Amino acid sequence: MKKSLAILSFLLLPAVFHLQAQENNLHHQSSSYQWPTDPQVGAKLDTWQDQKFGILIHWGLYAVPGIIESWELCSEPWIERDSTIAYEDYKKWYWGLKKDFNPVKFAPDQWAQAAKDAGMRYVVFTTKHHDGFCMFDTKQTDFKITNGPFASNPKADVAKYVFDAFRRQGFMVGAYFSKPDWHSQDFWWSKYATPDRNVNYDIRKYPWKWNRFKQFTFNQISELMHNYGSIDILWLDGGWVRPLETVTDEVRSWGAAIPAWNQEVDIPRIAAMARQVQPGLLVVDRTVAGPYENYQTPEQSVPAQALDHPWESCITLGNTWGFVPNDQYKSPAKVIHKLIEIVAKGGSLLLGVGPRPDGTVEQSEVAILKEIGSWMRVNGAAIYGTRISSICRDGETFFTQSKDGQTRYALVRLPEQTAIPKEIEWKGNLPKKGSTMKLLSTGTSIKWRIEGDKVKVSLPASFIKKGTCPALAFSFQ
Ligand code: GLC
C-alpha cells in the first residue's frame, strides 16, 4: 500500500474516529496513591510539582502517514483502518514505514524554543511507543531511527538531541517508554494472531519467551538511563502490562481485554537499576498504583476535586497525540483555562504536541504556544511553585497559594472573546483586612472591598482597554 493511500483512507474516516479512539485507549486515574519513601525521589517530586506545565511529544513512524499513534496496528474492534487491506498486510505496510521516515528538518531546538516560549518547564518524549519503533539508538533491536534513511544524519540518535535541546532551556526531562512492544516477537509472536493489545501467547506455557521480553525491556531502559544524560522522569505507558495481582475490579471496569497470565516486566528491578544511575528518578508506572507510580496520570481529563498528592493530566493540543494533518487545535484560552483548573486542583498539565514527519512543529501550533506564553510570562507567579489552597474554586475563580502560604492567588477565567469586566467578585477566599491586592499582569495594586461574604475587585480602566484576556490573576494576603 502506498503512503498516499494511507493518507486518503485517513481523510475518509469519520472525524469522530479520533474521539472514539481516545475513549478506548485512555488511561484512567488510579484511586490510591503511595508517597515515595526514598528522600531523593521525594525531593525531585517536590521540584517537579513546582513546574506545572510540560510538553508531551509523540513522534514516531505514525507521523509519516499522519495516523493515530501506533493503534492502527492493533486489532481491537474500536480501531478503524482501510478495510481493503488484510490485517497482516497492513502490519507489513506499517513496519515498512521505517524506510520512509527521514526527518531531514529535525529541529529539536525549535521544539524546545516553542515549549519554552509557551512557559513550559518539563518535557516527556516518546523514546518508544507501542509500535516498538525506537527513537533512540538501542542495541536491542534494528527497528529504530538509527537504522534507516536517517542513520547517517548527525542527529540520528533523536532522543539524545531532544533531551539536550530541552535541557539547554532548563527543562526537567522525561523519557516516555511503552511497556508493550508490538514489534517484538517476544510480545506479539507471529506464530499466533494478535487479537488485542496484550501479549499474544500464553506466558505460562512459554516462560522463557516472556523472560526474554523482560530482559529486553530492562536492557532498553538501561540504555536510556546510562546513555542519555540526566533523566528526571521515566514515564511508563501501556498500563495493561501489569502484575496480575494488580488487576482489580476497577482495572477490569476500564474495559480493555485482560489475559489470564501474569503480564508484567518487573518494574521493581528496572526502577532499582534506573535509580542507581539516576538518583531520585520519578517512575510513573501509569495506573499501577503503588511505589512505582510516583504521580498519577489521568488522560484527557481533570479530576473533579483538588488532590493533595502529585498528579498530572496529559491532554492533547489537537485531537491526537501524534501528528495528523489538518488536526484541530485547542485555543490558547482553552489551554490556559485547563491549566488554571489543574493547578488549583494540585496537578500539572502535560500538553501533547506531535511534530511533523519532517521533524518540525507546525507553525500554527507554535503560534498557539506563543500566545499561551505571553499570558504565562506575566501571570506565572500564580501558577509555578504554588500549592493548593483550602478552597479550590468559586465558580470560574480558582485559588492557589505560594508554598510558604504567605501569598494567595485568585485566577479568574474569562469567557473567550468577551470584554474584560470592570469588576470581578468571588466568595470564600477573602483577602485579609487592609492587605494589598495586585493584578499580576500589570503589577499594580488595585482597589477591592468586602461586601457580605464576597470580595469585589475593581479593574483599572487602562487595563480594561486591552479588550479581552483569557484569565486574570490577582495576588493577595
Ligand atoms: C494512551 C495511549 C497512547 C498515548 C498515551 C499518552 O496510553 O494508548 O497511545 O501515547 O495515552 O498519554
Side-chain angles (χ1 to χ4, degrees):
M1 190 174 72
K2 293 256 170 59
K3 192 158 76 184
S4 54
L5 189 54
I7 292 169
L8 187 68
S9 70
F10 163 74
L11 292 174
L12 295 178
L13 288 174
V16 295
F17 167 61
H18 289 291
L19 297 175
Q20 283 171 353
Q22 291 184 352
E23 271 160 35
N24 281 279
N25 63 5
L26 288 184
H27 277 69
H28 294 249
Q29 181 164 14
S30 297
S31 51
S32 66
Y33 179 76
Q34 198 172 316
W35 285 94
T37 49
D38 176 340
Q40 284 178 297
V41 177
K44 199 182 271 293
L45 201 47
D46 193 59
T47 308
W48 172 78
Q49 281 191 290
D50 290 345
Q51 314 307 311
K52 305 295 185 203
F53 192 24
I55 184 167
L56 174 50
I57 302 176
H58 275 70
W59 200 45
L61 282 188
Y62 39 84
V64 175
I67 55 177
I68 183 176
E69 71 291 341
S70 300
W71 281 99
E72 282 194 21
L73 272 172
C74 185
S75 180
E76 295 179 14
W78 58 274
I79 296 156
E80 285 302 336
R81 76 175 76 74
D82 183 349
S83 60
T84 64
I85 299 156
Y87 178 44
E88 288 306 320
D89 292 338
Y90 185 87
K91 279 195 202 163
K92 273 188 211 131
W93 166 78
Y94 190 104
W95 305 136
L97 289 170
K98 64 174 186 211
K99 24 173 230 318
D100 303 325
F101 193 18
N102 190 14
V104 288
K105 293 189 185 159
F106 174 47
D109 288 315
Q110 182 228 6
W111 307 2
Q113 188 64 53
K116 173 92 178 179
D117 290 348
M120 291 162 157
R121 297 201 167 171
Y122 70 105
V123 62
V124 177
F125 174 66
T126 49
T127 60
K128 179 179 86 168
H129 204 260
H130 314 333
D131 62 12
F133 188 74
C134 296
M135 298 300 283
F136 66 107
D137 189 26
T138 178
K139 301 286 177 284
Q140 315 303 316
T141 174
D142 286 343
F143 196 51
K144 57 180 180 182
I145 187 75
T146 48
N147 176 38
F150 200 55
S152 56
N153 190 288
K155 292 189 187 133
D157 194 355
V158 160
K160 178 177 188 300
Y161 292 92
V162 172
F163 293 149
D164 282 350
F166 279 89
R167 280 192 207 105
R168 278 197 292 276
Q169 296 287 7
F171 279 50
M172 285 180 91
V173 163
Y176 167 112
F177 183 89
S178 168
K179 292 183 290 178
D181 184 322
W182 295 335
H183 187 263
S184 165
Q185 280 293 313
D186 292 329
F187 194 91
W188 272 6
W189 187 6
S190 47
K191 175 175 177 182
Y192 296 111
T194 58
D196 59 40
R197 63 188 71 187
N198 295 300
V199 174
N200 74 334
Y201 59 91
D202 188 335
I203 289 175
R204 295 164 302 188
K205 212 168 145 193
Y206 302 102
W208 55 271
K209 209 168 173 43
W210 183 249
N211 284 336
R212 202 159 65 184
F213 184 71
K214 277 161 100 168
Q215 190 59 44
F216 166 80
T217 305
F218 180 96
N219 293 349
Q220 285 203 318
I221 296 179
S222 172
E223 290 171 340
L224 287 168
M225 295 300 120
H226 283 91
N227 308 336
Y228 291 83
S230 159
I231 307 280
D232 301 293
I233 308 164
L234 176 60
W235 209 92
L236 296 168
D237 199 19
W240 61 93
V241 174
R242 62 189 301 139
L244 200 52
E245 74 261 19
T246 68
V247 181
T248 56
D249 287 346
E250 189 192 1
V251 171
R252 287 184 194 282
S253 75
W254 298 338
I258 292 164
W261 45 85
N262 193 20
Q263 177 179 235
E264 60 91 23
V265 288
D266 202 350
I267 296 302
R269 175 174 172 242
I270 289 174
M273 170 275 292
R275 286 189 176 140
Q276 243 169 30
V277 198
Q278 307 282 350
L281 177 78
L282 305 182
V283 178
V284 183
D285 193 7
R286 306 185 72 195
T287 75
V288 188
Y292 305 105
E293 191 182 32
N294 294 148
Y295 65 73
Q296 299 175 331
T297 61
E299 185 170 340
Q300 304 287 21
S301 69
V302 180
Q305 313 288 341
L307 299 168
D308 62 8
H309 59 253
W311 61 274
E312 160 198 275
S313 280
C314 49
I315 296 180
T316 46
L317 180 55
N319 285 312
T320 49
W321 291 108
F323 168 75
V324 166
N326 309 314
D327 201 359
Q328 290 194 321
Y329 301 115
K330 296 178 180 73
S331 65
K334 198 156 185 191
V335 175
I336 292 165
H337 288 181
K338 282 259 186 256
L339 179 66
I340 288 173
E341 179 175 353
I342 288 168
V343 172
K345 289 179 173 174
S348 297
L349 169 60
L350 186 61
L351 189 70
V353 173
R356 299 165 50 87
D358 68 1
T360 60
V361 172
E362 277 219 316
Q363 276 315 317
S364 54
E365 285 179 280
V366 173
I368 295 169
L369 294 175
K370 225 186 198 120
E371 236 182 289
I372 296 169
S374 50
W375 187 87
M376 289 293 278
R377 245 187 312 285
V378 285
N379 295 290
I383 300 281
Y384 302 121
T386 61
R387 292 295 180 267
I388 53 174
S389 135
S390 56
I391 299 172
C392 168
R393 76 189 285 181
D394 173 42
E396 286 303 301
T397 304
F398 289 81
F399 304 106
T400 61
Q401 58 179 338
S402 57
K403 259 184 179 173
D404 61 7
Q406 297 300 304
T407 310
R408 287 181 286 163
Y409 299 98
L411 293 130
V412 186
R413 302 197 300 196
L414 299 176
E416 277 188 63
Q417 271 136 28
T418 49
I420 301 173
K422 285 193 191 122
E423 200 172 73
I424 295 282
E425 59 175 48
W426 67 80
K427 265 201 304 218
N429 204 341
L430 306 181
K432 283 189 199 145
K433 235 181 163 177
S435 69
T436 311
M437 186 181 290
K438 282 189 172 164
L439 177 62
L440 288 190
S441 62
T442 57
T444 47
S445 298
I446 46 165
K447 286 197 198 126
W448 59 273
R449 62 187 196 281
I450 303 280
E451 270 183 27
D453 59 353
K454 289 183 182 156
V455 58
K456 299 204 171 187
V457 178
S458 315
L459 292 169
S462 56
F463 182 73
I464 296 169
K465 267 199 231 139
K466 262 179 60 125
T468 61
C469 173
L472 307 168
F474 305 95
S475 67
F476 57 97
Q477 282 80 45

